[in-house]
Amino acid sequence: MSLAVVTLAAGKGSRMKSARPKVLHTLAGQPMLGHVLDTAMSLSGAEQHVVIGHGADLIREAFGATPVNWAVQSEQKGTGHAVAQALPAISDDSVVLVLYGDVPLIRRDTLLPLVAAARAGNLGLLTVTLPDPGGYGRIVRDASGDVQAIVEHKDASQAQRQIREVNTGILAAPAARLKHWLPQLSADNAQGEYYLTDVIAMAVADGLQIVTHQPDSAAEVEGVNDRLQLARLERIYQRQLADELMRNGVALMDPERLDIRGSLRVGDNVSIDVGCVFEGEVTLGNNVRIGPYNLIRNSRIGDGVEIESFCHIEQADVASACHLGPYARLRPGAELASGARVGNFCEIKKSQIGEGAKVNHLSYIGDASVGANANIGAGTITCNYDGVNKSRTEIGAGAFIGSNSALVAPVTIGTDATVGAGSVITRPVADGELAVGRGKQRNISGWNRPVKKD
Ligand code: UD1
Ligand code: CA
């Protein structure tokens, strides 16, 4: 029996106070709807249906590459009406699981018992017991504990409002049953909406068993209506990721001060200080030590690398035993061979830095290759851009570039060549040569300093 997931995402989310549709607001760098779809797609063989309304085009565009059947609900007439929009595309013999684009932390394991109940011909319902159930639909059970109905808060009696077990909205049922029930919904209630929750009483009347299940933690079923709730879930989610890292042996100086927006893969004996942000796909090798306040995006960091504080590293490949920072910037295409060092206020772009080479202070190396064990003195700049074209600089192994040199590309500096400090290099320097390209020093003796006129 195939599984069709229907994710509701048509609501406006006015309390976000944003032009962006609510489900495109991000949690850990990914739209909330993306989290839900990832979980839904982890249910093997599930076909995906998403009901959209407000901001439909933006949502479709954001998920252009995801295999989803979009159903448009142009007017939001309630959750029952929303699910009905997806049903025509779903075959009668499948099972439907209803999820929500603004409930991003739901886990796969929590959904499995619901799907199993529906596959057995029953209705699986996810409920949660809350200390303060205000606002939610209440789960009404009979004397023997069987669920009879869900009553929305606004329609509930004083006695029903005492019930602390509430509806999460997440349920699973046979598609044929939903196709039979949904057309019978009425909007004759406090909100004038077609409530999905009314199918519970219909299922009971049709002799189905209502199989309830609760999530491990209430955060899993928490919906996001405003930015405060989104920020709350972000911290909960980040803490889960941090805990997972620590269980895998990573030393985190403070698990509350770490942000992972993507996937972070780690080796053994890694330590990460406070305030680090990892974005996209990041891999850290064994024995990596990362100091405080670093941003690392879509990069690979090899074994034994040490990163001091305040580095900005993007699309870089850093081989083993390199040393970075403090305050180093690696831009896309920075490739460091093992043992290379890039120090404070250095920027490396689209360049290969050879084994053991040093770029330690205040340099810009762009469109260049730096040979093994070369030493790039403080303030060295590769002048790679003439205002129109980018050109390359090749620096040989063992070269020594004196401080504050400008290497005007295209230019080649040979193996073991030396450049005198303060040089502007415009012509190639051969292997082993010394190049000095600067004004000659003159010393004037007996020089009298100017005196102040009165
Ligand atoms: C719903 C449940 C309630 C449950 C609560 C949990 C109903 C009638 N009530 O109430 O029992 O305790 O969720 O949060 O189902 N949506 C659409 N189209 C619509 C209406 C809603 O796509 O026409 C989407 C919304 O974008 C939202 C979700 O469905 O993501 C929930 O809708 P909402 O109206 O907020 O339901 P609640 O009143 O919270
Ligand atoms: Ca809601």
Side-chain angles (χ1 to χ4, degrees):
M1 209 185 278
S2 62
L3 172 62
V5 181
V6 176
T7 300
L8 305 192
K12 187 170 181 192
S14 3
R15 278 183 279 163
M16 295 301 281
K17 306 237 159 97
S18 166
R20 199 161 18 139
K22 176 162 73 172
V23 296
L24 291 187
H25 285 262
T26 58
L27 185 121
Q30 189 193 20
M32 285 193 275
L33 179 58
H35 287 270
V36 179
L37 288 175
D38 278 355
T39 304
M41 289 187 294
S42 76
L43 298 162
S44 49
E47 55 181 66
Q48 303 299 325
H49 301 263
V50 179
V51 181
I52 49 179
H54 285 279
D57 292 340
L58 290 170
I59 297 172
R60 257 192 297 233
E61 206 178 296
F63 289 90
T66 317
V68 164
N69 302 293
W70 302 102
V72 177
Q73 184 195 29
S74 37
E75 225 186 312
Q76 277 69 63
K77 296 183 184 170
T79 47
H81 180 257
V83 172
Q85 307 312 302
L87 285 187
I90 296 172
S91 80
D92 284 9
D93 60 2
S94 53
V95 148
V96 172
L97 169 67
V98 179
L99 300 179
Y100 298 82
D102 57 0
V103 181
L105 298 189
I106 187 68
R107 288 180 326 112
R108 178 177 186 273
D109 286 355
T110 304
L111 300 172
L112 296 178
L114 308 179
V115 174
R119 286 208 161 112
N122 290 311
L123 192 147
L125 180 65
L126 191 64
T127 72
V128 64
T129 303
L130 299 176
D132 175 15
Y136 292 97
R138 305 302 206 281
I139 307 297
V140 179
R141 292 178 184 269
D142 65 12
S144 53
D146 292 332
V147 174
Q148 295 302 297
I150 297 176
V151 181
E152 290 303 297
H153 180 92
K154 286 182 179 151
D155 301 291
S157 65
Q158 274 311 324
Q160 289 167 331
R161 287 185 182 180
Q162 303 306 308
I163 300 170
R164 294 195 304 116
E165 186 187 8
V166 306
N167 175 32
T168 65
I170 294 172
L171 57 79
R177 297 284 191 175
L178 284 169
K179 288 185 181 191
H180 173 63
W181 296 327
L182 292 183
Q184 300 177 45
L185 292 179
S186 128
D188 183 15
N189 52 51
Q191 300 182 77
E193 288 181 3
Y194 296 94
Y195 292 163
L196 176 63
T197 46
D198 285 350
V199 304
I200 305 300
M202 294 177 182
V204 172
D206 286 350
L208 277 75
Q209 212 188 312
I210 311 299
V211 180
T212 61
H213 180 66
Q214 293 220 346
D216 285 349
S217 93
E220 265 188 68
V221 295
E222 244 176 74
V224 170
N225 293 306
D226 59 30
R227 291 174 189 271
L228 279 81
Q229 290 168 331
L230 179 58
R232 215 180 90 73
L233 289 193
E234 175 83 34
R235 287 341 302 165
I236 290 173
Y237 184 66
Q238 290 298 341
R239 183 59 206 243
Q240 289 171 1
L241 297 178
D243 289 353
E244 180 75 15
L245 283 175
M246 292 189 292
R247 276 192 286 269
N248 289 335
V250 176
L252 297 177
M253 294 315 129
D254 182 356
E256 302 284 345
R257 285 185 286 169
L258 171 75
D259 286 85
I260 299 170
R261 304 174 189 146
S263 104
L264 175 62
R265 292 195 297 151
V266 293
D268 297 335
N269 192 37
V270 165
S271 76
I272 302 173
D273 211 325
V274 301
C276 292
V277 178
F278 298 88
E279 293 185 349
E281 307 269 318
V282 175
T283 306
L284 307 177
N286 299 323
N287 305 312
V288 169
R289 185 180 63 79
I290 299 182
Y293 303 104
N294 282 287
L295 175 97
I296 306 181
R297 181 183 292 149
N298 293 319
S299 295
R300 186 189 74 92
I301 308 295
D303 294 348
V305 170
E306 305 211 337
I307 303 178
E308 306 293 349
S309 50
F310 300 108
C311 294
H312 189 285
I313 298 168
E314 177 172 13
Q315 267 173 259
D317 191 279
V318 178
S320 61
C322 286
H323 189 276
L324 299 177
Y327 301 101
R329 177 162 185 212
L330 301 187
R331 288 174 54 200
E335 294 169 21
L336 276 56
S338 63
R341 300 176 75 89
V342 175
N344 39 262
F345 308 107
C346 292
E347 174 179 339
I348 312 286
K349 186 218 67 166
K350 235 194 221 175
S351 295
Q352 295 73 45
I353 308 296
E355 236 178 274
K358 294 180 201 158
V359 187
N360 271 338
H361 329 271
L362 301 150
S363 286
Y364 172 61
I365 304 295
D367 303 303
S369 76
V370 174
N373 299 313
N375 188 342
I376 308 297
T380 297
I381 305 293
T382 53
C383 308
N384 61 328
Y385 186 51
D386 60 12
V388 187
N389 301 300
K390 299 265 169 68
S391 302
R392 287 192 59 85
T393 301
E394 313 283 344
I395 299 172
F400 182 97
I401 312 298
S403 296
N404 217 32
S405 293
L407 310 177
V408 183
V411 73
T412 304
I413 315 282
T415 302
D416 292 326
T418 305
V419 169
S423 291
V424 177
I425 299 297
T426 54
R427 287 189 294 121
V429 182
D431 294 354
E433 276 184 347
L434 165 67
V436 185
R438 62 183 181 220
K440 242 197 161 77
Q441 179 172 333
R442 282 192 304 149
N443 291 3
I444 296 163
S445 53
W447 167 252
N448 294 319
R449 286 191 191 171
V451 288
K452 202 172 176 92
K453 290 179 192 145
D454 40 31

